[in-house]
Amino acid sequence: MTSLSYTPPAAGDRPAPFAIPTGLLIGDAWVDSATAARIDIINPSTGETLTAVADGGVAEGIAAVDAASAAAAGWAATPPRKRADILLACFYAMMAEQEWLAQLISLENGKALTDARGEVAYAAEFFRWYAEEAVRINGEMGIAPGGANRILVQYQPIGIALLITPWNFPAAMATRKIAPALAAGCTCILKPAEETPLTALAVAEIMRRAGVPAGVINVLNASDPGPMCSAILNDPRVRKLSFTGSTEVGRILLREAANTVVSASMELGGNAPFLVFDDADLDAAIEGAMVAKMRNAGEACTAANRFYVQREIHDRFVEKLVARMGAMTVGAGCDAATQCGAMINQASIDKIERLVADAVAKGADVRLGGKTLEREGFFYPPSVIANVQPGSDILEDEVFGPVAAIIPFDDPEDAIRLANATEYGLAAYVYSEDLKKALQIAERIECGMVAVNRGLVSDAAAPFGGMKQSGLGREGSHHGLIEYCEIKYIAVSW
Ligand code: ADP
């Protein structure tokens, strides 16, 4: 089953080996919903409808729990090595399909093909990482302090997991949850975002073909996810919720999870500060800023949202960033030349316009872009707004687009205070050639992840997650596996 030799296909030379499913995956079959309702999927680069997928409801939600429940005991009892082999097969199968999968992501999400290729590789990596973790779920044994008994600690699969994912990384947000769930021995129900379900449906079919047994992964789409997810979470067989999305929906789901005391892992919004000190390598900081701001056209919860730049280098930083961002090619996701793709929808454009207008009304200067492009699809250009004033909404709210808001600072203490002046605490970026200072600052920033002299934090091998209202729990690394485990303590006398 596991192919150990792997040669990537030349770009574009391999079509999808199957028609992309558009149904609901429940147990061993792709099915339609009872109502036969469908959700249109829009290409954000053109505004055209690509296709439509089945629209599930409460009945399909419970059917998926039935399927996950029927498969649960068998999957939990599958030897870890076999689970690992299946996950590794998923990794190779996904990488073999990298090119058309990337095109599919670009089509339904609008992101540039280079971003989409990177996403497929990152997404597949979760299968490989958790294949390696599946055989290393080790417990502990100790002796009670009183000497009377042994303390045996074992990790067991937590149970059926509901996995809810957003549209910005349709492949990676799915595999970041599915892979650890399966490695731990859990069966799952994936509920992708209604804007970008095709990638998740394709990944699920790749997994089936790679040997994932029926019912271990189920996939549901819904135009009105609330009632369906609520029914699933209120089913006592479901023991885990892992959600990536907005803080607002995260709060609703945490309340739902409370009914049955379901374990919840939450990856919510961010408002990442990007701090550049006067002793930074300016060119390296610009490179990092381009990644932290422009990867995925800014549609990432880790995206740099606020650039605090020390006064001595502020003007040069702005000038260089304007030059680099201004040179980017904006275009349809699938065009080979595109470096900055489309936004997901009109609501996203509206939000960016509102945040930029508010900043400008409060005194900011538009140094680049700052105006929606007049063309088909949903396009906002790379934009730089400098001199952003305190109290501007863009400093409070994720822009989730290609807009860099820049604020000068004089005193490093002010920069740290401003970086922490938010309810969010996901990611932060620090640029300084003085590593001692940078690490001291990294420790003081209230967020789950800090990149020092780097523009990227995401890695399957690292614990991804936020503090404060950015979330609960971690994904990726060994920590991400433990989220799908229950700790069982057995007191033994012998
Ligand atoms: P975004 O703002 O990025 O679109 P959302 O938080 O609205 O993020 O959506 C993230 C995911 O949560 C999507 O899969 C969406 O369908 C799902 N979702 C939205 N509302 C609910 C809800 N009430 N119950 C369950 N899932 C929901």
Side-chain angles (χ1 to χ4, degrees), residues 275-412:
L275 309 179
V276 189
F277 293 89
D278 58 7
D279 55 3
D281 174 335
L282 188 58
D283 290 330
I286 292 291
E287 282 307 321
M290 290 300 291
V291 176
K293 181 70 260 179
M294 294 308 298
R295 187 172 70 110
N296 241 30
E299 292 180 319
C301 49
T302 52
N305 204 48
R306 304 169 284 151
F307 289 82
Y308 295 104
V309 184
Q310 202 155 6
R311 185 95 49 195
E312 286 78 350
I313 56 167
H314 171 270
D315 292 354
R316 278 186 294 144
F317 182 88
V318 172
E319 199 181 300
K320 281 177 181 262
L321 193 63
V322 165
R324 284 292 299 276
M325 285 176 63
M328 292 185 88
T329 304
V330 181
C334 283
D335 285 353
T338 295
Q339 293 169 308
C340 176
M343 300 292 98
I344 190 70
N345 53 28
Q346 187 58 42
S348 177
I349 295 276
D350 292 346
K351 180 179 181 189
I352 298 169
E353 285 180 344
R354 179 176 62 72
L355 291 175
V356 171
D358 171 79
V360 170
K362 289 174 180 160
D365 307 324
V366 175
R367 300 291 298 272
L368 177 72
K371 197 166 176 301
T372 301
L373 299 179
E374 298 285 336
R375 53 181 286 178
E376 63 174 10
F378 310 112
F379 289 94
Y380 202 90
S383 303
V384 176
I385 48 173
N387 201 23
V388 175
Q389 298 297 311
S392 300
D393 293 347
I394 201 164
L395 303 180
E396 313 279 320
D397 207 353
E398 280 185 287
V399 66
F400 234 69
V403 181
I406 306 182
I407 308 99
F409 72 85
D410 294 300
D411 178 358

Side-chain angles (χ1 to χ4, degrees), residues 164-167 191-194 225-226 229 243-246 249 253:
I164 304 178
T165 53
W167 50 261
K191 211 303 285 166
E194 47 273 41
C229 292
F243 171 77
T244 299
S246 60
V249 173
L253 288 168

Side-chain angles (χ1 to χ4, degrees), residues 162-168 191-195 221-230 233 241 243-250 252-253 256 267-268 344-345 351 398 400:
L162 172 62
L163 314 174
I164 304 178
T165 53
W167 50 261
N168 61 339
K191 211 303 285 166
E194 47 273 41
E195 294 87 350
N221 283 298
S223 56
D224 182 13
M228 185 177 84
C229 292
S230 173
L233 283 174
L241 165 66
F243 171 77
T244 299
S246 60
T247 299
E248 186 191 346
V249 173
I252 295 172
L253 288 168
E256 288 284 352
E267 297 292 352
L268 308 176
I344 190 70
N345 53 28
K351 180 179 181 189
E398 280 185 287
F400 234 69

